[in-house]
Amino acid sequence: MADLLYLATIVAFFALMVVFVRVCERIVGRDDVVGTDVDPDVAEANDATITEEVPA
């Protein structure tokens, strides 16, 4: 029984954190993507995937 209570507590905690993040995003807004450090022409020539960074 204690195991089920522990698992339920962990699941409830993560569910609460998901709600918390969504509420904060509604209040503050999502972070905009800043850009990349990779030149798109060079990345295309090297067949590389461009990854974009989001500010922390």
PDB file of all heavy atoms in Angstrom, residues 16-26:
ATOM      1  N   LEU A  16       1.374  18.412 -11.080  1.00  0.00           N
ATOM      2  CA  LEU A  16       1.306  19.763 -10.539  1.00  0.00           C
ATOM      3  C   LEU A  16       2.379  20.655 -11.170  1.00  0.00           C
ATOM      4  O   LEU A  16       2.119  21.827 -11.478  1.00  0.00           O
ATOM      5  CB  LEU A  16       1.480  19.722  -9.019  1.00  0.00           C
ATOM      6  CG  LEU A  16       1.360  21.054  -8.291  1.00  0.00           C
ATOM      7  CD1 LEU A  16      -0.041  21.628  -8.456  1.00  0.00           C
ATOM      8  CD2 LEU A  16       1.682  20.871  -6.820  1.00  0.00           C
ATOM      9  N   MET A  17       3.560  20.115 -11.414  1.00  0.00           N
ATOM     10  CA  MET A  17       4.627  20.901 -12.036  1.00  0.00           C
ATOM     11  C   MET A  17       4.295  21.244 -13.487  1.00  0.00           C
ATOM     12  O   MET A  17       4.598  22.338 -13.960  1.00  0.00           O
ATOM     13  CB  MET A  17       5.966  20.161 -11.974  1.00  0.00           C
ATOM     14  CG  MET A  17       6.516  20.038 -10.553  1.00  0.00           C
ATOM     15  SD  MET A  17       6.718  21.632  -9.732  1.00  0.00           S
ATOM     16  CE  MET A  17       5.344  21.628  -8.601  1.00  0.00           C
ATOM     17  N   VAL A  18       3.647  20.344 -14.209  1.00  0.00           N
ATOM     18  CA  VAL A  18       3.222  20.628 -15.579  1.00  0.00           C
ATOM     19  C   VAL A  18       2.208  21.766 -15.577  1.00  0.00           C
ATOM     20  O   VAL A  18       2.297  22.696 -16.380  1.00  0.00           O
ATOM     21  CB  VAL A  18       2.634  19.365 -16.249  1.00  0.00           C
ATOM     22  CG1 VAL A  18       1.914  19.704 -17.543  1.00  0.00           C
ATOM     23  CG2 VAL A  18       3.734  18.352 -16.510  1.00  0.00           C
ATOM     24  N   VAL A  19       1.269  21.715 -14.653  1.00  0.00           N
ATOM     25  CA  VAL A  19       0.283  22.795 -14.534  1.00  0.00           C
ATOM     26  C   VAL A  19       0.972  24.102 -14.177  1.00  0.00           C
ATOM     27  O   VAL A  19       0.657  25.159 -14.737  1.00  0.00           O
ATOM     28  CB  VAL A  19      -0.794  22.424 -13.487  1.00  0.00           C
ATOM     29  CG1 VAL A  19      -1.689  23.607 -13.180  1.00  0.00           C
ATOM     30  CG2 VAL A  19      -1.612  21.243 -13.974  1.00  0.00           C
ATOM     31  N   PHE A  20       1.932  24.053 -13.272  1.00  0.00           N
ATOM     32  CA  PHE A  20       2.662  25.247 -12.859  1.00  0.00           C
ATOM     33  C   PHE A  20       3.386  25.891 -14.044  1.00  0.00           C
ATOM     34  O   PHE A  20       3.332  27.105 -14.241  1.00  0.00           O
ATOM     35  CB  PHE A  20       3.661  24.876 -11.759  1.00  0.00           C
ATOM     36  CG  PHE A  20       4.514  26.009 -11.298  1.00  0.00           C
ATOM     37  CD1 PHE A  20       3.980  27.024 -10.522  1.00  0.00           C
ATOM     38  CD2 PHE A  20       5.864  26.065 -11.637  1.00  0.00           C
ATOM     39  CE1 PHE A  20       4.772  28.079 -10.082  1.00  0.00           C
ATOM     40  CE2 PHE A  20       6.657  27.108 -11.211  1.00  0.00           C
ATOM     41  CZ  PHE A  20       6.108  28.123 -10.440  1.00  0.00           C
ATOM     42  N   VAL A  21       4.052  25.088 -14.859  1.00  0.00           N
ATOM     43  CA  VAL A  21       4.775  25.613 -16.013  1.00  0.00           C
ATOM     44  C   VAL A  21       3.805  26.233 -17.015  1.00  0.00           C
ATOM     45  O   VAL A  21       4.050  27.307 -17.558  1.00  0.00           O
ATOM     46  CB  VAL A  21       5.622  24.506 -16.676  1.00  0.00           C
ATOM     47  CG1 VAL A  21       6.144  24.945 -18.031  1.00  0.00           C
ATOM     48  CG2 VAL A  21       6.766  24.111 -15.763  1.00  0.00           C
ATOM     49  N   ARG A  22       2.685  25.582 -17.255  1.00  0.00           N
ATOM     50  CA  ARG A  22       1.705  26.131 -18.209  1.00  0.00           C
ATOM     51  C   ARG A  22       1.110  27.436 -17.707  1.00  0.00           C
ATOM     52  O   ARG A  22       0.903  28.363 -18.488  1.00  0.00           O
ATOM     53  CB  ARG A  22       0.631  25.103 -18.490  1.00  0.00           C
ATOM     54  CG  ARG A  22       1.198  23.942 -19.284  1.00  0.00           C
ATOM     55  CD  ARG A  22       0.151  23.064 -19.849  1.00  0.00           C
ATOM     56  NE  ARG A  22       0.804  21.988 -20.592  1.00  0.00           N
ATOM     57  CZ  ARG A  22       0.169  21.037 -21.185  1.00  0.00           C
ATOM     58  NH1 ARG A  22      -1.147  21.003 -21.145  1.00  0.00           N
ATOM     59  NH2 ARG A  22       0.829  20.110 -21.843  1.00  0.00           N
ATOM     60  N   VAL A  23       0.840  27.527 -16.422  1.00  0.00           N
ATOM     61  CA  VAL A  23       0.314  28.780 -15.867  1.00  0.00           C
ATOM     62  C   VAL A  23       1.359  29.883 -15.995  1.00  0.00           C
ATOM     63  O   VAL A  23       1.041  31.015 -16.383  1.00  0.00           O
ATOM     64  CB  VAL A  23      -0.123  28.588 -14.397  1.00  0.00           C
ATOM     65  CG1 VAL A  23      -0.384  29.913 -13.725  1.00  0.00           C
ATOM     66  CG2 VAL A  23      -1.354  27.703 -14.327  1.00  0.00           C
ATOM     67  N   CYS A  24       2.607  29.571 -15.702  1.00  0.00           N
ATOM     68  CA  CYS A  24       3.673  30.566 -15.838  1.00  0.00           C
ATOM     69  C   CYS A  24       3.828  31.013 -17.285  1.00  0.00           C
ATOM     70  O   CYS A  24       4.059  32.192 -17.551  1.00  0.00           O
ATOM     71  CB  CYS A  24       4.994  30.008 -15.323  1.00  0.00           C
ATOM     72  SG  CYS A  24       5.029  29.869 -13.526  1.00  0.00           S
ATOM     73  N   GLU A  25       3.717  30.089 -18.244  1.00  0.00           N
ATOM     74  CA  GLU A  25       3.801  30.456 -19.652  1.00  0.00           C
ATOM     75  C   GLU A  25       2.663  31.387 -20.047  1.00  0.00           C
ATOM     76  O   GLU A  25       2.856  32.284 -20.858  1.00  0.00           O
ATOM     77  CB  GLU A  25       3.790  29.211 -20.539  1.00  0.00           C
ATOM     78  CG  GLU A  25       5.102  28.487 -20.587  1.00  0.00           C
ATOM     79  CD  GLU A  25       5.063  27.266 -21.477  1.00  0.00           C
ATOM     80  OE1 GLU A  25       3.954  26.821 -21.868  1.00  0.00           O
ATOM     81  OE2 GLU A  25       6.138  26.748 -21.798  1.00  0.00           O
ATOM     82  N   ARG A  26       1.492  31.191 -19.490  1.00  0.00           N
ATOM     83  CA  ARG A  26       0.369  32.082 -19.795  1.00  0.00           C
ATOM     84  C   ARG A  26       0.583  33.459 -19.205  1.00  0.00           C
ATOM     85  O   ARG A  26       0.209  34.467 -19.791  1.00  0.00           O
ATOM     86  CB  ARG A  26      -0.935  31.499 -19.277  1.00  0.00           C
ATOM     87  CG  ARG A  26      -1.384  30.281 -20.069  1.00  0.00           C
ATOM     88  CD  ARG A  26      -2.739  29.849 -19.668  1.00  0.00           C
ATOM     89  NE  ARG A  26      -3.706  30.838 -20.165  1.00  0.00           N
ATOM     90  CZ  ARG A  26      -5.005  30.727 -20.028  1.00  0.00           C
ATOM     91  NH1 ARG A  26      -5.504  29.686 -19.414  1.00  0.00           N
ATOM     92  NH2 ARG A  26      -5.816  31.644 -20.502  1.00  0.00           N
TER      93      ARG A  26
END
